Structures are given as C-alpha cells and as structure tokens.
C-alpha cells in the first residue's frame, strides 16, 4: 500500500481494516419479529346460544406465508381441549390469514367454555420433530364464555 503520510493517495489496507474492525464485528441483522396470534372472540364473558353460528376471530402477525390455525375448545370440565381427529387434532384447521372461523356452537350448555388457537410450528423448527404438535404461536380465551340454551 501507500503510507498514510500521503493522505490524498494513501492505500494502507491493513490500517483501513484495523480502523473498521469494531464496526464490522458488531454488524448484525436484526432478528425477525416473533410470530403471534391473539383470540379476539370469544375472549371471555360472551353468551352464545347452543346450536347458533358464531365467528371465532383472531388477530395474527409475522406468521409464515401459508400458515394455518388449529382451533380447539374446552368446556372447562377438566378434560382438556376437545379436538376432531379428522381435522388433524383440532375442531378445524383454517388459513391464519382468514382471521375467523364460522363455528356452530355445541349443544352442551355451561359457563366455563374457552377457545384455543395454535399455529403449528414447521417440523424444521422443532428439535427432533416428526409431526410434533408444538406451536409457533398460540393463544386461548382470556376468560370463560357461556353457551346458553
């Protein structure tokens, strides 16, 4: 190179690298924002008539293109969340971008119902997974809702 003593024509490569090493070493790409999903309805306090049709709705952000939402529900009877094997372990699986699912409310009345949403994580993101049920994003009703006669 050419010494830094000649500022207009210097080409001291080693000095240039040394002067920029901290900036280059600290250069990082910001991580992507986390995936999220939130139950909007029923989120607690609603009273839905048995046999009626209501929309389960949600808001999502930063989900992969083509993501699906698995929907399950619980009547609060300590049996966990009810699923339907024909829908892949959920009462329904719908595109996350849809933002809602038209649900025919069961005829089982009660005041301890909740809905749970899960966006299954791709197997490539789940360590040792072979069809694992891990969620990339999930949420459940904040409080119970009622199903009335």
């Amino acid at each position: 190179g050419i010494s830094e003593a000649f500022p207009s024509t210097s080409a001291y490569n080693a000095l240039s690298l040394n002067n920029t090493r901290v900036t280059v070493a600290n250069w990082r790409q910001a991580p992507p924002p986390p995936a999220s999903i939130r139950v909007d309805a029923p989120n607690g306090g609603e009273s839905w008539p048995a046999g009626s049709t209501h929309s389960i709705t949600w808001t999502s952000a930063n989900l992969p293109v083509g993501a699906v939402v698995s929907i399950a529900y619980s009547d609060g009877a300590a049996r966990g969340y009810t699923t339907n094997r024909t829908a892949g372990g959920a009462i329904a699986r719908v595109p996350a971008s849809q933002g809602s699912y038209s649900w025919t409310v069961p005829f089982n009345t009660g005041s301890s119902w909740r809905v749970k949403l899960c966006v299954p994580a791709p197997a490539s993101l789940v360590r040792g997974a072979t069809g694992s049920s891990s969620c990339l994003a999930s949420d459940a009703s904040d409080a119970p809702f009622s199903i009335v006669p």
Side-chain angles (χ1 to χ4, degrees):
I2 300 171
S3 170
E4 72 274 7
F6 303 102
S8 64
T9 60
S10 70
Y12 190 177
N13 293 337
L15 181 61
S16 293
L17 291 172
N18 196 37
N19 288 342
T20 59
R21 66 186 165 87
V22 174
T23 301
V24 172
N26 289 314
W27 189 270
R28 301 279 187 268
Q29 183 176 3
S36 66
I37 193 161
R38 183 185 75 230
V39 174
D40 293 330
N43 205 24
E46 297 90 348
S47 287
W48 288 356
S52 65
T53 301
H54 283 273
S55 290
I56 296 172
T57 61
W58 60 87
T59 304
S60 61
N62 307 312
L63 297 177
V65 173
V68 297
V69 175
S70 293
I71 304 168
Y73 64 83
S74 171
D75 63 4
R79 289 190 295 261
Y81 283 88
T82 301
T83 61
N84 173 352
R85 288 192 191 281
T86 62
I91 61 169
R93 289 175 55 90
V94 297
S97 60
Q98 197 167 295
S100 68
Y101 170 72
S102 184
W103 183 45
T104 301
V105 179
F107 284 94
N108 303 347
T109 60
S111 60
S112 299
W113 289 82
R114 290 183 191 252
V115 167
K116 179 180 178 182
L117 306 176
C118 169
V119 177
S124 62
L125 296 179
V126 181
R127 185 174 290 170
T130 53
S132 173
S133 61
S134 296
C135 299
L136 179 63
S138 65
D139 192 32
S141 302
D142 289 342
F145 65 96
S146 298
I147 295 180
V148 296

